Amino acid sequence: MSKLVIAGGTGFLGNELLDFYASKFTAIVVLTRSKPYQTKNINYVQWDAKTIGAWHTCLNNADVLINLTGKSVDCRFTKKNKELILNSRIDSTLALGKAINLVDTPPKVWLNASSAAISHPNKEENGEDFMLDVGLAWEKAFGSIKNYNTRKVALRISLVFGKNGGALVPLKKIAQFGLGGKQGNGNQMVSWVHIKDFVSITNFAIENSKIIGPIVVAAPDAKSNKKLMATIRKTLKVPFGLPAFAWMLKIGGFIIGTEPSLILNSMNVYPEKLLKNGFKFKYATLEAALKNLIK
């Protein structure tokens, strides 16, 4: 009998993990805010991602816990949304940490999502980087409760590229409409990871007991925004792409309800710990990843 618990397992990343792990565990529990139900070997259990409830017993005898809980950052960074983004991550992490210490046989390993922004601090013009602050608070919450019988790994996740979800989908659409030029000055670095490698990294972290603490979840091939968009256009066979200047992105972001800093901020991280421990990327280069994802 093997058991996996995924908190926040109903989104893009969670669904990919469920597809991969469905045949590897005899029992899977997904902690969700939605109504509980069961399908095959997956049991959806309701929780509020904040307080200890009956759900905490699901952690007993679990081999693995993966926490992906948190409000999507694809929104305007208003005061209210910032609070929701931050609190949803901290509250759920603290609740899980406390719950682990309440069960007789706690999970052997706990993978908790985090932000790759921690590994590449990037101060904006006003001296702030909200996602860096979120990542720091998130990992502080993760480490604040001692779970002595559980190995803990913080997944510092970069942009995840998938066919039907993740950061590549809007970039692909923009390029198809002829607007796939550089965004801002185009010099900001972009770290990314193919969805299949993201899933493989979680499996590698589960199986490799040497992996403890934070790991960078990104391919070893960060590109400038200008190079990224050019490679997307080339893969799509789109001959040109109009640039989007910073002021245009700020207006556009306001209209469509997203945050321009998600595009304009630089992120250049490297998966040193993964590579040193022998992880092999299936899609180590941007060209290989896009060739697989854009067809």
Side-chain angles (χ1 to χ4, degrees), residues 112-123 129-139 154-159 189-192 213-219 222 266-274:
N112 203 72
S114 179
S115 171
I118 298 179
S119 297
H120 182 79
N122 175 68
K123 295 296 182 185
D129 185 341
F130 175 61
M131 289 314 299
L132 169 61
D133 294 339
V134 168
L136 290 170
W138 206 353
E139 288 194 18
L155 303 172
R156 293 183 176 177
I157 304 170
S158 62
L159 295 183
M189 296 300 291
V190 181
S191 287
W192 58 273
I215 58 171
V216 168
V217 182
S266 188
M267 184 186 292
N268 186 5
V269 296
Y270 189 77
E272 185 175 1
K273 188 182 286 188
L274 282 173

Side-chain angles (χ1 to χ4, degrees), residues 19 38 40 43 142 159 172 178 190 193 196 218 222 240 261 287:
D19 285 346
Q38 186 157 2
K40 296 181 181 178
N43 187 22
F142 186 44
L159 295 183
K172 180 180 162 186
V190 181
V193 65
K196 298 301 182 188
F240 68 92
S261 65
E287 288 78 7

Side-chain angles (χ1 to χ4, degrees), residues 17-255:
L17 291 178
L18 287 173
D19 285 346
F20 178 80
Y21 287 117
S23 62
K24 295 183 181 297
F25 290 87
T26 52
I28 296 177
V29 175
V30 176
L31 296 177
T32 174
R33 287 187 177 89
S34 303
K35 289 184 178 179
Y37 69 98
Q38 186 157 2
T39 173
K40 296 181 181 178
N41 65 329
I42 303 174
N43 187 22
Y44 291 80
V45 174
Q46 195 170 32
W47 75 324
D48 66 359
K50 189 184 301 183
T51 55
I52 303 295
W55 60 265
H56 87 274
T57 59
C58 297
L59 297 177
N60 198 36
N61 293 310
D63 295 278
V64 179
L65 167 63
I66 301 176
N67 179 30
L68 303 170
T69 308
K71 173 180 168 53
S72 171
V73 298
D74 187 15
C75 61
R76 295 291 296 172
F77 284 177
T78 61
K79 183 180 178 182
K80 181 181 179 183
N81 281 338
K82 279 185 172 183
E83 288 177 356
L84 288 171
I85 289 169
L86 181 62
N87 293 338
S88 61
R89 286 158 172 76
I90 291 176
D91 290 346
S92 59
T93 300
L94 290 175
L96 290 167
K98 292 172 185 174
I100 284 173
N101 289 340
L102 294 176
V103 298
D104 294 329
T105 309
K108 297 181 181 71
V109 59
W110 174 11
L111 310 184
N112 203 72
S114 179
S115 171
I118 298 179
S119 297
H120 182 79
N122 175 68
K123 295 296 182 185
E124 299 176 57
E125 290 177 9
N126 59 7
E128 294 179 355
D129 185 341
F130 175 61
M131 289 314 299
L132 169 61
D133 294 339
V134 168
L136 290 170
W138 206 353
E139 288 194 18
K140 183 179 179 182
F142 186 44
S144 67
I145 298 173
K146 301 304 177 188
N147 307 113
Y148 293 104
N149 297 309
T150 301
R151 178 167 56 91
K152 296 164 77 167
V153 180
L155 303 172
R156 293 183 176 177
I157 304 170
S158 62
L159 295 183
V160 182
F161 287 171
K163 282 183 184 176
N164 304 310
L168 182 61
V169 173
L171 295 177
K172 180 180 162 186
K173 287 180 180 176
I174 287 170
Q176 288 171 325
F177 283 118
L179 303 173
K182 67 180 182 179
Q183 295 154 336
N185 63 24
N187 295 326
Q188 68 272 32
M189 296 300 291
V190 181
S191 287
W192 58 273
V193 65
H194 190 293
I195 183 62
K196 298 301 182 188
D197 279 328
F198 165 79
V199 173
S200 295
I201 287 167
T202 67
N203 191 52
F204 184 79
I206 290 166
E207 294 181 346
N208 191 330
S209 60
K210 292 180 181 178
I211 303 293
I212 300 172
I215 58 171
V216 168
V217 182
D221 190 33
K223 297 290 188 186
S224 69
N225 172 270
K226 183 178 180 180
K227 179 65 175 176
L228 168 67
M229 297 310 298
T231 311
I232 291 173
R233 292 197 311 272
K234 182 180 178 182
T235 309
L236 284 168
K237 297 182 172 59
V238 173
F240 68 92
L242 297 175
F245 301 106
W247 64 268
M248 296 166 70
L249 290 172
K250 287 173 182 175
I251 294 172
F254 181 79
I255 293 170

